[in-house]
Amino acid sequence: LPTEQARFSSLTLRRAHDSLADDVRLGLTAADKWLPCKYFYDPRGMALYERICELPEYYLTRTETAILKHHAADIIALAPAPLSLVELGSGSSAKIRYLIEACLARQAGLVYYAIDISPGALDNGVRPLLQEYLDLRIVELVGEFTDGLGYLAREPGGPRLVAFLGSTIGNFTEGEITSFLAMLRRVLRPQDCFLLGFDLIKDTGVLEAAYDDAEGVTARFNLNILARLNHELDADFDLTAFAHRATVNVERSRVEMHLVSRRAQRVRIGRLGLDVRFRAGETIHTENCHKFSTAGMETLLARHGWQVLRRFLDPQEQFCLVLAS
Ligand SMILES: C[S@@+](CC[C@H](N)C(=O)[O-])C[C@H]1O[C@@H](n2cnc3c(N)ncnc32)[C@H](O)[C@@H]1O
């Protein structure tokens, strides 16, 4: 059997660092300051995100994992065989193992494409998968979702199941969801399936706790984006001069994460030759986490040509996975 190394390959289509400077200039010179949440995930951000996933308050990961564990065989049974798996924003590739197992139970070998803007799949979690599943090949595609899907659209091969887990779709604006679903439909082939995991609308208190945990891990995760700017753009953010804030915006059905300037201050971003002024209390909006209803999401999917095959929920109806073709 080919060795683990021979069953793993990594292809860089785009590096996050390449667009960081332009995006930071755009976001921090805007009237309402913001930063794109995709820059959370440098190696330290990845490690902090993994810790968030294990927090008692952060129900999302364990709920989605439980649904997958319970229904992986049902999901795969609804998709054509033989299949390859594609994961968008694969991160640590922890949840995909249930789909890998269900695929390998019905076909001889499997290729899993892990698409993520943050490189390091091998170190971040796919090594155990390669050790455990000897008929598994893994291709890491480092780049944006669009880069990875564009690459796969040009590659020959049979049907694919594209998984987009972790409620990452909740980080998109409404406009971004629209263009994402339209793009997905353009690049996938008629036999391909789409598995979407999204968080459901729920009690404000549960959401507040999930995004502002008692241990302060989410706060460190949020602040780490400033540390990244210090390292990569030669900025001089004083991390103690900013505070993490997570608020529930009921009207817009989302949790908003901000970094609040604790005082009036000026920050130098060396690589951009830019000084950024902050008023006391002024915020940098770093992330939106939209919550959906099953009906709302299914309407969005239908509007973009996706037919829902089946939906899977946990018993408390906190989280939903939808399989569409
Ligand atoms: C919320 S985490 C989810 C990780 C994993 N799917 C899970 O369910 O735990 C989002 C992941 O998507 C990646 N990501 C975010 N924006 C991206 C983009 N525009 N293109 C590619 N990957 C992106 C991040 O690097 C991160 O690994």
Side-chain angles (χ1 to χ4, degrees):
L1 280 168
T3 61
E4 283 149 40
Q5 204 64 44
R7 290 183 285 115
F8 176 78
S9 57
S10 179
L11 194 65
T12 299
L13 306 170
R14 188 196 303 254
R15 295 176 311 157
H17 185 77
D18 297 343
S19 50
L20 181 68
D22 288 344
D23 286 346
V24 169
R25 183 185 294 280
L26 198 68
L28 294 188
T29 56
D32 294 322
K33 296 181 173 60
W34 62 283
L35 287 170
C37 63
K38 67 181 174 194
Y39 296 116
F40 277 138
Y41 301 92
D42 66 353
R44 179 149 189 276
M46 278 275 193
L48 286 167
Y49 177 71
E50 291 314 308
R51 286 195 52 202
I52 290 173
C53 290
E54 288 166 7
L55 291 169
E57 296 97 328
Y58 199 77
Y59 59 87
L60 290 90
T61 308
R62 63 172 177 275
T63 310
E64 189 181 35
T65 303
I67 301 172
L68 275 172
K69 203 169 169 179
H70 199 242
H71 289 293
D74 305 326
I75 292 167
I76 296 303
L78 287 163
L83 199 61
S84 24
L85 288 178
V86 178
E87 186 176 11
L88 301 173
S90 46
S92 66
S93 298
K95 297 169 198 154
I96 203 76
R97 81 166 38 241
Y98 302 105
L99 297 176
I100 289 175
E101 239 164 64
C103 278
L104 287 174
R106 88 170 175 171
Q107 67 189 54
L110 175 69
V111 184
Y112 161 49
Y113 297 92
I115 300 173
D116 204 295
I117 190 69
S118 306
L122 194 58
D123 298 328
N124 285 330
V126 303
R127 206 187 292 274
L129 295 177
L130 289 167
Q131 285 165 351
E132 223 168 302
Y133 307 109
L134 301 181
D135 297 320
L136 178 67
R137 288 180 179 275
I138 300 181
V139 181
E140 175 190 49
L141 297 173
V142 179
E144 296 271 344
F145 305 132
T146 44
D147 299 321
L149 287 169
Y151 173 86
L152 288 176
R154 295 185 296 272
E155 284 281 287
R160 291 157 178 161
L161 185 141
V162 177
F164 194 26
L165 306 175
S167 203
T168 304
I169 195 162
N171 301 144
F172 290 168
T173 62
E174 225 168 279
E176 285 167 342
I177 293 182
T178 296
S179 41
F180 173 79
L181 291 177
M183 180 270 303
L184 202 58
R185 187 171 178 227
R186 262 194 327 274
V187 299
L188 296 193
R189 301 170 189 149
Q191 271 204 303
D192 295 344
C193 289
F194 178 42
L195 180 69
L196 178 64
F198 56 95
D199 196 18
L200 296 172
I201 296 167
K202 57 181 60 63
D203 189 64
T204 299
V206 176
L207 292 175
E208 276 169 351
Y211 291 87
D212 195 4
D213 62 281
E215 222 189 295
V217 184
T218 314
R220 292 207 287 286
F221 173 74
N222 197 6
L223 283 160
N224 180 60
I225 201 166
L226 302 183
R228 179 170 194 176
L229 304 194
N230 285 352
H231 297 146
E232 295 190 33
L233 295 181
D234 188 26
D236 63 0
F237 281 98
D238 172 1
L239 269 59
T240 64
F242 288 86
H244 165 68
R245 182 194 286 165
T247 50
V248 177
N249 184 334
V250 178
E251 228 163 73
R252 304 188 76 168
S253 204
R254 70 189 192 194
V255 180
E256 296 176 4
M257 294 221 307
H258 290 261
L259 289 166
V260 189
S261 178
R262 293 184 192 268
R263 52 176 158 83
Q265 55 182 316
R266 193 174 64 182
V267 176
R268 175 81 185 157
I269 305 183
R271 275 264 319 275
L272 302 186
L274 180 71
D275 285 325
V276 185
R277 287 177 187 280
F278 290 90
R279 299 182 305 274
E282 188 177 358
T283 78
I284 308 173
H285 190 169
T286 49
E287 189 174 57
N288 287 317
C289 307
H290 288 91
K291 310 298 164 186
F292 307 90
S293 65
T294 47
M297 183 55 84
E298 287 175 5
T299 304
L300 275 177
L301 285 165
R303 199 178 292 157
H304 295 93
W306 290 97
Q307 189 198 344
V308 173
L309 298 176
R310 211 175 136 183
R311 79 169 80 115
F312 304 89
L313 287 105
D314 58 297
Q316 279 79 42
E317 306 202 346
Q318 294 207 325
F319 201 93
C320 183
L321 281 168
V322 160
L323 182 69
S325 69

